[in-house]
Amino acid sequence: MKRNILITGGAGFIGSHVVRLFVNKYPDYNIVNLDLLTYAGNLANLKDVEGRPNYKFVKADIADYDAVRRIMAEHEIDGVIHLAAESHVDRSIKDPFTFARTNVMGTLALLQAARERWESLPEKYEGKLFYHISTDEVYGALELTHPGGTTAPFSTKASAGGHEAYGTEFFLETTNYNPHSPYSASKASSDHFVRAYHDTYGMPVVVTNCSNNYGPYQFPEKLIPLFVNNIRHGKPLPVYGKGENVRDWLYVEDHARAIDLIFHKGRIAETYNIGGFNEWKNIDLIRVLIRTVDRLLGNPEGHSDHLITYVTDRAGHDLRYAIDSRKLQRELGWEPSLQFEEGIEKTVRWYLDNQDWMDRITSGEYEKYYEEMYSGR
Ligand code: NAD
Ligand code: DAU
């Protein structure tokens, strides 16, 4: 079947993996990548698909209602996969307005443009879908009741090998929203708008809330690419607080596969949580990164341990995230494809092998921003 799909934020980290998957897997679909190319958007992430006949890039701001309306009409869009966002918690603490503008107003502009377009057609909402990509951070933070870890109650391929859980509670699709950072508050607000468009106007929507992603093409302000690059260059590794915070890590291609499955087979108006039952304390993950980078660079074991530098904690730093993804596994048969240690090895190798990609980003403006952001920590 032919489809015209608008993917927003396709030049970013997760978006680029989703665009690549759809362009390669669905030659009959027209994939339109709408991205403003903010500091986080990078067309180099999509070099391998840029000349493909079923792919088109459009530079635009999701918060520019008129531009979005034009794009929806011009490309006869019948499905939206919405990833464009301001995505970094530390930036949201410094500049919350940008997060409200992009994540809330931008999502609203897209919803309204989709509504206007789809309601003007004879078939209206039939065969249409607005798929909103959200985060587990909207649920707030979980208790860390087992600081030393305990046997995880469920496991997936990602957590195979007897990985640990750090508490007995998990985020479910029914967990109440309780965001703490300006980033998660803006994502929570956008989620509410998406559901409101279903309940008020009958728009077919689906929302997914995913845990922390890792893999190639992630902007090096986020923990994993930042630390891999710092280890390589012998720079300090700024660990917030005591490094006790827990995150639930999923390989980015497994997230993209889940998005594909839910876009095609998910139930309308449903929410699906996506995660691999793969919890790691930051400091333990950082030790794995140090060991892996040192080994791949041929350094002796322990060579980069001294780079660990404890710094002032992130304001409002959520202690633990842990997703219960059993609904998605049960209803649609999704499972992570990679065991975490395999995924980390692949990821670290990718960053080491793609130093040009990293160098272009970490020079110039980004360096200046980084200095400003972290001076005084
Ligand atoms: P990212 O920061 O790497 O990419 C965001 C993309 O959005 C960039 O290409 C940027 O240019 C674009 N963008 C920003 N503002 C825009 C605007 N006004 N108009 C058009 N494009 C704009 O983000 P990511 O980590 O790939 O996250 C993608 C989505 O997934 C976000 O909605 C995020 O909340 C969500 N998410 C991320 C994670 C994660 O671990 N990274 C986990 C769960 C959910
Ligand atoms: O849970 C999903 C979320 O994961 C997404 O919605 C966000 O877009 C994404 O950025 C990510 O948020 P986090 O804040 O968890 O990711 P980050 O990589 O910024 O940090 C991971 C953990 O590491 C967190 O506990 C903070 C800590 N940290 C981070 C950085 C950048 C450090 O200790 N030092 C650092 O320099």
Side-chain angles (χ1 to χ4, degrees):
M1 198 178 99
K2 203 155 176 44
R3 300 211 54 176
N4 299 322
I5 299 173
L6 183 71
I7 300 183
T8 70
F13 166 47
I14 303 172
S16 63
H17 289 276
V18 176
V19 166
R20 178 174 298 101
L21 177 67
F22 274 68
V23 167
N24 286 329
K25 187 167 171 188
Y26 301 107
D28 290 344
Y29 291 6
N30 290 314
I31 304 300
V32 180
N33 170 14
L34 183 165
D35 199 297
L36 185 59
L37 300 183
T38 66
Y39 79 94
N42 185 355
L43 288 176
N45 298 356
L46 287 166
K47 272 242 157 307
D48 51 328
V49 298
E50 72 187 4
R52 303 287 274 279
N54 62 337
Y55 170 70
K56 194 168 174 60
F57 171 70
V58 182
K59 183 172 176 191
D61 182 350
I62 53 165
D64 180 344
Y65 178 54
D66 290 332
V68 175
R69 277 170 69 214
R70 267 198 313 276
I71 294 162
M72 291 282 304
E74 187 184 331
H75 297 278
E76 301 180 1
I77 296 301
D78 53 42
V80 176
I81 304 180
H82 174 35
L83 296 111
E86 288 292 338
S87 69
H88 191 41
V89 175
D90 292 333
R91 285 182 189 255
S92 81
I93 295 167
K94 296 249 165 183
D95 175 21
F97 280 106
T98 305
F99 283 69
R101 183 187 178 277
T102 296
N103 298 359
V104 185
M105 292 306 290
T107 301
L108 182 55
L110 270 178
L111 281 164
Q112 184 61 18
R115 176 182 165 223
E116 191 184 288
R117 164 81 194 155
W118 294 341
E119 286 188 356
S120 75
L121 301 172
E123 77 278 13
K124 306 227 178 277
Y125 287 122
E126 210 185 303
K128 312 294 189 294
L129 182 65
F130 190 103
Y131 181 168
H132 178 60
I133 310 298
S134 191
T135 168
D136 59 359
E137 301 202 10
V138 298
Y139 298 123
L142 295 166
E143 299 276 316
L144 205 146
T145 51
H146 295 86
T150 181
T151 307
F154 315 105
S155 80
T156 63
K157 186 153 184 200
S159 55
H163 197 61
E164 296 170 315
Y166 290 90
T168 45
E169 284 192 306
F170 295 83
F171 295 136
L172 285 159
E173 287 80 0
T174 49
T175 301
N176 286 338
Y177 274 32
N178 186 20
H180 297 133
S181 72
Y183 163 66
S184 52
S186 68
K187 290 298 288 187
S189 172
S190 65
D191 295 8
H192 290 318
F193 269 107
V194 174
R195 295 190 180 107
Y197 266 63
H198 171 267
D199 296 349
T200 308
Y201 307 112
M203 181 179 286
V205 305
V206 70
V207 178
T208 55
N209 298 80
C210 188
S211 62
N212 285 63
N213 285 215
Y214 71 98
Y217 301 112
Q218 187 168 30
F219 195 83
E221 62 188 349
K222 308 283 166 60
L223 180 78
I224 291 181
L226 174 70
F227 278 33
V228 169
N229 196 42
N230 283 11
I231 299 164
R232 181 183 190 135
H233 291 103
K235 287 184 176 171
L237 307 175
V239 181
Y240 297 169
K242 295 185 182 143
E244 297 278 301
N245 303 65
V246 171
R247 295 291 181 265
D248 178 357
W249 294 94
L250 183 69
Y251 191 65
V252 62
E253 287 181 6
D254 283 329
H255 187 190
R257 282 177 40 250
I259 291 172
D260 175 23
L261 194 61
I262 293 162
F263 181 79
H264 290 97
K265 300 211 171 112
R267 286 187 291 137
I268 300 298
E270 285 293 322
T271 297
Y272 295 92
N273 281 356
I274 310 174
F277 291 108
N278 182 40
E279 294 177 52
W280 284 80
K281 249 187 205 181
N282 288 344
I283 193 65
D284 294 337
L285 170 60
I286 290 161
R287 294 219 157 90
V288 171
L289 292 176
I290 292 175
R291 265 204 312 277
T292 311
V293 176
D294 275 343
R295 178 169 47 77
L296 292 176
L297 290 180
N299 294 329
E301 206 177 318
H303 176 81
S304 301
D305 289 353
H306 70 284
L307 298 176
I308 291 180
T309 309
Y310 291 94
V311 298
T312 312
D313 208 353
R314 173 185 277 174
H317 197 174
D318 287 336
L319 197 50
R320 172 176 172 249
Y321 302 144
I323 277 277
D324 185 333
S325 58
R326 282 176 301 159
K327 175 176 170 181
L328 177 59
Q329 292 174 30
R330 205 173 45 239
E331 281 192 19
L332 299 179
W334 173 86
E335 251 246 282
S337 67
L338 270 189
Q339 206 258 336
F340 185 65
E341 280 78 0
E342 276 177 75
I344 278 291
E345 172 97 14
K346 214 169 145 167
T347 301
V348 171
R349 266 186 202 282
W350 190 88
Y351 286 109
L352 296 180
D353 290 348
N354 288 275
Q355 195 59 43
D356 284 1
W357 179 92
M358 183 66 86
D359 288 346
R360 269 199 289 272
I361 294 174
T362 52
S363 58
E365 284 308 300
Y366 179 69
E367 274 296 316
K368 254 193 268 153
Y369 155 79
Y370 186 82
E371 295 303 326
E372 233 170 71
M373 185 90 147
Y374 294 96
S375 61
R377 266 202 193 272

